[in-house]
Amino acid sequence: MGNSVTVSEKKEFLDWFLNHYELQNKGAAFLLRFLSSDEKLLQKVHFVENVRLLRKCLIISTKCSKMPSFRFIKNKRMDSDVETAFFDIKFSPNEDIYIGLYFKDQNSCPEYAAVLEGNPMEKQDLVQDKLLGLFAEILLDHAVLDFKQKQLYKQIDEALAAGDREAFLQLSEQWREILELKK
């Protein structure tokens, strides 16, 4: 999965794809030909495996796929009308368009693999997941420390009540260590 696919590579792939596969939705084929004919638009086209969380994307399926024939998603709104997608793309030429293609053997197709790019939102998701994981770890550590502190407090009270000076001194030292960790 390269990060930088040239316009000519995208055009070549779309031409190859349209010559080798029949789309479920004929209008989607027209839309892909339209994209293929415009170099400025092709600069904004990105082929991705996963369209999740992307602002503007197309899902296009061939007849050999069981996926929905066509979906246009923009700002979390989904439409199955190719014409809506066409006019949006035509009148918003500076917006990135992410395309997920679904066809037989897509996972083993070298032509498709050559134009695949990563979903930029997946990277953001990974960072967010790591931050949430770190936050959860900090909260858990804090909860464990609080629990230990309460247990020690109870044990110190019991040592005082029993008059066990040695246990009291040992537990007090542990108490100081926990207070140091909390600083």
Side-chain angles (χ1 to χ4, degrees), residues 35-49:
L35 289 171
S36 178
S37 69
D38 188 320
E39 286 194 14
K40 282 189 177 182
L41 283 178
L42 274 179
Q43 288 176 348
K44 296 294 186 175
V45 167
H46 309 281
F47 296 97
V48 294
E49 287 180 295

Side-chain angles (χ1 to χ4, degrees), residues 30-107:
F30 165 78
L31 183 58
L32 290 178
R33 281 189 188 88
F34 169 72
L35 289 171
S36 178
S37 69
D38 188 320
E39 286 194 14
K40 282 189 177 182
L41 283 178
L42 274 179
Q43 288 176 348
K44 296 294 186 175
V45 167
H46 309 281
F47 296 97
V48 294
E49 287 180 295
N50 181 0
V51 296
R52 191 172 77 97
L53 301 174
L54 293 169
R55 196 175 103 58
K56 183 176 178 177
C57 59
L58 301 173
I59 297 172
I60 300 173
S61 301
T62 63
K63 285 194 172 183
C64 57
S65 170
K66 292 181 180 172
M67 292 293 288
S69 62
F70 179 84
R71 295 288 184 268
F72 171 59
I73 302 165
K74 184 171 182 180
N75 297 327
K76 298 181 183 177
R77 289 188 166 190
M78 186 169 31
D79 199 320
S80 58
D81 181 38
V82 176
E83 200 172 316
T84 301
F86 171 77
F87 284 113
D88 183 87
I89 292 167
K90 185 173 174 126
F91 295 113
S92 304
N94 295 323
E95 294 179 353
D96 286 316
I97 308 159
Y98 295 90
I99 301 176
L101 295 175
Y102 295 92
F103 57 98
K104 185 179 179 189
D105 301 326
Q106 75 187 53
N107 294 327

Side-chain angles (χ1 to χ4, degrees), residues 11-21 109 111-112:
K11 181 176 179 20
E12 192 176 303
F13 168 73
L14 282 173
D15 292 342
W16 172 86
F17 182 75
L18 290 169
N19 285 326
H20 284 81
Y21 291 95
C109 178
E111 292 84 0
Y112 190 46

Side-chain angles (χ1 to χ4, degrees), residues 68-177:
S69 62
F70 179 84
R71 295 288 184 268
F72 171 59
I73 302 165
K74 184 171 182 180
N75 297 327
K76 298 181 183 177
R77 289 188 166 190
M78 186 169 31
D79 199 320
S80 58
D81 181 38
V82 176
E83 200 172 316
T84 301
F86 171 77
F87 284 113
D88 183 87
I89 292 167
K90 185 173 174 126
F91 295 113
S92 304
N94 295 323
E95 294 179 353
D96 286 316
I97 308 159
Y98 295 90
I99 301 176
L101 295 175
Y102 295 92
F103 57 98
K104 185 179 179 189
D105 301 326
Q106 75 187 53
N107 294 327
S108 61
C109 178
E111 292 84 0
Y112 190 46
V115 295
L116 277 177
E117 299 180 61
N119 178 332
M121 296 308 287
E122 286 177 343
K123 291 175 189 152
Q124 188 175 349
D125 253 8
L126 287 174
V127 169
Q128 191 173 13
D129 287 350
K130 282 189 177 191
L131 286 174
L132 286 173
L134 286 172
F135 183 67
E137 220 174 289
I138 290 168
L139 281 176
L140 188 57
D141 288 347
H142 187 72
V144 167
L145 212 52
D146 280 349
F147 177 76
K148 283 182 180 178
Q149 190 174 7
K150 286 176 185 172
Q151 289 296 100
L152 271 174
Y153 189 76
K154 198 184 290 184
Q155 290 173 339
I156 289 171
D157 274 353
E158 289 170 2
L160 281 172
D164 187 349
R165 179 179 163 81
E166 192 174 313
F168 171 77
L169 291 173
Q170 181 186 6
L171 293 168
S172 295
E173 183 58 36
Q174 289 177 20
W175 178 266
R176 275 190 233 119
E177 287 173 7

